[in-house]
Each structure stands twice: as structure tokens, then as C-alpha cells.
Amino acid sequence: MTDEIAQYGYGLTDVTGWDIKPTTEANLYYFKNLYVALGRCNSVLENVPGMKIPQDKKNRYMGEAYFLRAFHHFNLVKNWGEVPIRTKSVTTVADTYAKKESIDKIWKLIIDDLLEAEKLLGINKCQGRVDKVAAEALLSRAYLYLATYKESGSPGYDWVEDADAMYAKAEQYAGKVIYDQTTYALDPSIDNIYSVFSQNSSPEHIFITAMSREGSGYEGTYAQLPLLFMIQYSADFVYVSEKLVPETDPATGKIKVMKMINYFPAWEEVRTSYQWVDQTFEAGDLRKELFVTTIYTEEGDVYRTFAPENKKDKDMHTAKFFFPFCRKYSDPISIKSHSSANMYLIRMGEVYLNYAEAAGPTDKGYECLNAVRGRAGLAPYDTEHKLGKEEFRELCWKERERELCFEANLLYDLRRKNRVNSTYITRVSPRESIAYFFPFPQRESDLNP
């Protein structure tokens, strides 16, 4: 979340405008639903041991519940800091009241739960579920966060004793994911990573949600993610190239295209500036092509090309195309607003970068960093004249910005590196009081004073 925001002074929400308040709905519902999920995790942990089912199934259900309990507490602590811990089901009114716990105590629970999940789980790749590799991948992320929170002096983390020890743990667990199993790997094709048709089969995805365009009933069985990123055009107009590098149909000589989604108008809430795209991505970086700058007709002819001055154009469709938009969450066969575009929660690209940042400028550190760059079509960094740790980790951080943008990572990278300031957040100034921890939702404070 650097320039992944509304740029031109309108369309700013409390979130994109850095103005989250105790009454902000997004703040309330995210907080609330994390605790709903924790209740379900605890119910599994309390009831599965007594079930008359095979032990291997018990282990899997318990391991998944430990992982998810850690995952939800992790999301709580990185957003709100000191929060109540939930390790048992709420069965009485009295159980609903809980005091905030210290950040170090929350992190101890996170690590303990992930270690327990690692013991109980095997390797079982299944979209929407987690396994042993997911536990190790999240451990690598957790230890990397702790290392950099401490090293950077980020607020709330003076209690971490040794940043180098945390880096070593992050390297250890990322190394397990990369080198000790063969089920997951870097997908050689960026197209494949973000295609709704290969989410389950791609070796890249360690933990991804499992929402489907076929979902019915309440929202949550399907995704509406593409609506956040799209410009507000009629569906007839928003066709993009089928591949990141446009391919020509030999029969017609026109670009092979696909729809991004079958439902419009979109919400158009998350935008990025062309300056950020141009300044962040190197020439030839395939990941830059994930930002749409040209749209086509259904026949494959160019319909409109992005330009910042388009916003002054008298033509309605030209005027809307004044910012590049992201195609990571597109679904060309969505059913109205029902999409199969899922959240990328943990994938191998991140784990490779976790390893590189934790290991520093070692041979394997460079190997992992260059593997991610190579997939994007970029030349490797020089391994003969190695950089110092600080300079190398800065390269890793920039690579994360390119690799993981729009995947809900960059705000937390800024926080762990103590960089939530105007140098790095250039379009809006973060309100100091919420720079590192969001305010408690007022409704939850009223219910649990």
C-alpha cells in the first residue's frame, strides 16, 4: 500500500485515505469476523479429540484449526496491537468479556500454535485448506516480521530480544518450504499464478481462499474482488489481452483478448498512479504487464489506451481511463458479481523473498531473490560482488513491492520496517495515531469495556 490508493482526491475511503476511525465499518467488520473465526477454531480444538473418527483425520482437523487460530491472531496483532486472546469457545455471557493482552503474549501464542500445526499436519495440497508447508511458510513470515520489527525500532516491539535470532528462524522455516518438499514450487508462468483456471493446480499457491462463481446464498461463497480494481465501464468494453505479453491470432491478425469480468459497473475503489507503476517496475518486468494500460474490443482491436490526461477528455470512456488498473483478480467467466477470483494468502513467491531477506547476501539468499526476478523476465543481481546486509535487504524489500502488490502485504512491510511516513506513502499522509495500529472498533469497545 504505497500508491495503491485513490489518487485524485475523490473515491477515497477511510482505508485508502488513511482515516480509519473507531466507527469505520471496514475496521469493525474485519475485527469482528476475525473473532468469529477464532470461535470456530476453538470449537474444533475442543470437540474433535472426542470424535470417533480415524486419528489421521483428527490430526488434520486439529492441525488446520491451530494454523487458523494462529493466522487470525496474527492478523489481529499486526492491525490492532494489543487485543484479547481467544483460546476457548464462548459459552456464557461472562466469557464474552476479555482484557487486552500484551503483544509479546499474543506472538507467543501464534508461534506455539504454528509449531503445533506443523507437528500434526502432513503435506496435503488442497485449495482453501492448509497443511504442514503452510504452517512452515507462515512461521517464516512471522519470524521475519519479528526480526524487522525489532531491528527497525517499530512501535510495540522493544520486547523482542534478538533480531538476528529471529532472522535465523525465518531462514530456517522458509528453507524447509523451499528445499525440503516437492509439492509446492515457484510457478514458472506469471499468467498461471493469476488465472482463475489454474488456482488449484498451480504449484505456487500454498494457501488461497476457495470462493467460487458458482457459490450461492450469502456473500462469501463467491468473490467480488475484481470490482474493487476495475474502471466503471460497460462489460462490452473491458477486454484485456489474454496473456500478459499480448498474442496475435494468426487467423485475424488481432490481439487475443478476454473479458476481465462479466459484471459492471465496478466499484473502482482501489487505484494506482502511473508514476508508481513506472517508478517501481523495471523495463521488461512481466509483473508490470499486470497493470492494464490498453483495453480492446471483443474482436481484438485497441479500444482505449491509458493516459493521465484522459481525465479531461470529453469522451466518457476515454475520461475514465486515466489510471492503470490491476488484473490480478480477473475472472472472464464470472456470473454477474459472482467471481472465482480468490485471495492469495501465502504463495511461494513470498516464501522465496522471506528466505532471501532473512538469509541476507549469501549464495542462497541471492539464489532465491534472483529466482523471483528471473521469473519476471529480469536479469539477476550480481552475485560476484555481494552487497552488505542492509543494502541487500533493501533490494529484497523493493522486490516484495513488485511481487506482492495488491496482495495485502505492503502496508505490513511498511509497518515492520518502521516506514509508515510521507517518504513512502506519497499520495496521502497517514494519520499518525493510526500509522502502526488501527483504533479499536467503537462497537466492540462498547460491548467489551
Side-chain angles (χ1 to χ4, degrees), residues 1 26 46-47 66 88 221 293 326:
M1 184 179 173
E46 290 162 4
N47 290 290
Y66 276 118
K88 67 175 185 176
T221 58
T293 56
C326 179

Side-chain angles (χ1 to χ4, degrees), residues 81-363:
E82 294 182 347
V83 294
I85 284 175
R86 289 294 186 187
T87 56
K88 67 175 185 176
S89 297
V90 174
T91 57
T92 68
V93 173
D95 291 339
T96 64
Y97 301 104
K99 66 183 179 68
K100 292 190 290 187
E101 298 290 356
S102 62
I103 290 175
D104 61 316
K105 188 172 181 179
I106 301 166
W107 274 99
K108 183 180 186 306
L109 174 66
I110 292 167
I111 299 296
D112 287 347
D113 276 358
L114 289 175
L115 292 173
E116 191 64 28
E118 185 193 22
K119 289 179 192 174
L120 291 168
L121 293 169
I123 299 178
N124 297 286
K125 189 178 191 304
C126 179
Q127 185 177 342
R129 299 182 70 173
V130 294
D131 62 4
K132 180 187 182 75
V133 175
E136 292 167 346
L138 191 54
L139 278 163
S140 79
R141 184 192 294 178
Y143 282 121
L144 183 65
Y145 274 41
L146 290 174
T148 46
Y149 278 136
K150 175 66 174 180
E151 188 174 63
S152 70
S154 187
Y157 285 88
D158 290 343
W159 56 271
V160 180
E161 293 183 1
D162 188 343
D164 288 338
M166 297 296 100
Y167 275 127
K169 286 285 190 181
E171 178 184 352
Q172 174 191 344
Y173 283 100
K176 285 186 176 187
V177 175
I178 295 167
Y179 300 112
D180 293 354
Q181 56 80 39
T182 56
T183 301
Y184 301 91
L186 282 182
D187 194 317
S189 167
I190 294 176
D191 280 300
N192 211 40
I193 295 172
Y194 298 109
S195 169
V196 295
F197 307 112
S198 57
Q199 289 175 343
N200 192 40
S201 60
S202 171
E204 179 86 11
H205 300 303
I206 297 172
F207 184 25
I208 186 172
T209 55
M211 295 177 286
S212 169
R213 68 183 76 85
E214 304 295 337
S216 59
Y218 62 90
E219 183 180 346
T221 58
Y222 54 87
Q224 297 192 70
L225 287 173
L227 302 179
L228 290 167
F229 302 98
M230 307 285 285
I231 54 177
Q232 293 182 353
Y233 273 177
S234 161
D236 294 337
F237 295 129
V238 185
Y239 286 83
V240 297
S241 61
E242 196 173 89
K243 300 290 185 182
L244 292 185
V245 178
E247 293 181 350
T248 302
D249 186 337
T252 64
K254 297 181 179 181
I255 298 296
K256 294 180 181 179
V257 297
M258 68 176 188
K259 277 187 180 180
M260 280 194 68
I261 192 171
N262 281 316
Y263 179 79
F264 284 82
W267 298 335
E268 196 179 297
E269 288 203 18
V270 182
R271 305 170 185 165
T272 190
S273 69
Y274 72 94
Q275 295 103 322
W276 179 78
V277 175
D278 286 345
Q279 292 167 9
T280 301
F281 294 90
E282 300 172 43
D285 192 330
L286 290 175
R287 295 166 299 191
K288 187 176 183 179
E289 305 309 314
L290 288 161
F291 295 90
V292 177
T293 56
T294 302
I295 54 178
Y296 302 87
T297 64
E298 186 174 4
E299 294 73 32
D301 294 313
V302 172
Y303 179 71
R304 292 288 187 276
T305 300
F306 148 80
E309 59 270 20
N310 281 356
K311 60 182 176 178
K312 299 177 182 178
D313 200 284
K314 293 180 180 179
D315 177 81
M316 177 182 68
H317 292 134
T318 302
K320 285 181 178 288
F321 201 8
F322 62 84
F323 62 95
F325 56 95
C326 179
R327 60 183 280 176
K328 281 191 175 184
Y329 299 98
S330 55
D331 182 355
I333 58 171
S334 57
I335 303 171
K336 293 187 176 180
S337 65
H338 293 209
S339 166
S340 292
N342 281 282
M343 288 290 292
Y344 312 111
L345 301 174
I346 306 175
R347 62 181 181 85
M348 284 297 286
E350 181 210 343
V351 179
Y352 269 68
L353 294 174
N354 290 351
Y355 187 97
E357 187 176 342
T362 62
D363 288 343

Side-chain angles (χ1 to χ4, degrees), residues 14-15 19-34 76 79-80 415 431 434 437-445:
D14 284 357
V15 176
D19 193 29
I20 293 176
K21 299 179 281 288
T23 54
T24 298
E25 282 197 351
N27 190 42
L28 165 64
Y29 287 112
Y30 188 26
F31 185 93
K32 172 185 173 180
N33 286 322
L34 286 171
L76 284 162
N79 279 292
W80 291 278
R415 283 178 165 176
R431 187 150 53 82
I434 65 167
F437 301 111
F438 295 136
F440 261 56
Q442 187 61 50
R443 188 185 302 173
E444 294 298 319
S445 296

